């Protein structure tokens, strides 16, 4: 679920995620985030034993609840922080 409709402006949302340990974790998180409406691109940097970082580019502002649900659906991970660009 998105908060706003697409307006042609790309938005970047950065997620800090704990609990990811391998490339399978990256694949699961990527798949769930890519399934959100409006998402154009997902990039995940794995940091074993620390906070991994997912960067999501979308043409809508993504709701915090939708992002949290996607991470929850991906596996036993913790969404620690959401940062948005100033667009």
């Amino acid at each position: 679920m998105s908060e706003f409709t697409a307006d042609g402006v790309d938005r970047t949302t950065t997620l800090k995620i704990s609990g990811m340990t391998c490339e399978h974790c990256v694949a699961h998180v990527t798949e769930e985030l890519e399934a959100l409406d409006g998402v154009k691109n997902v990039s995940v940097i794995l940091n074993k034993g620390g906070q991994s970082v997912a960067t999501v580019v979308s043409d809508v502002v993504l709701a915090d609840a939708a992002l949290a649900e996607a991470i929850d659906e991906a596996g036993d991970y913790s969404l620690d922080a959401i940062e948005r660009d100033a667009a």
Side-chain angles (χ1 to χ4, degrees):
M1 174 180 291
S2 301
E3 293 176 357
F4 304 106
T5 57
D7 60 5
V9 175
D10 284 349
R11 290 166 173 81
T12 302
T13 305
T14 303
L15 310 176
K16 296 193 177 172
I17 306 164
S18 296
M20 297 175 63
T21 60
C22 65
E23 290 302 320
H24 287 100
C25 298
V26 170
H28 292 297
V29 167
T30 300
E31 179 180 358
E32 290 296 331
L33 290 171
E34 286 177 340
L36 295 174
D37 289 340
V39 171
K40 298 169 81 174
N41 185 26
V42 175
S43 173
V44 179
I45 298 171
L46 178 64
N47 183 11
K48 297 177 185 178
Q51 283 185 328
S52 296
V53 177
T55 303
V56 182
V57 178
S58 62
D59 58 7
V60 295
V61 176
L62 300 169
D64 289 359
L67 294 166
E69 183 177 342
I71 299 304
D72 186 54
E73 288 291 322
D76 191 24
Y77 314 120
S78 174
L79 178 57
D80 300 327
I82 300 172
E83 299 172 3
R84 291 185 169 80
D85 64 2

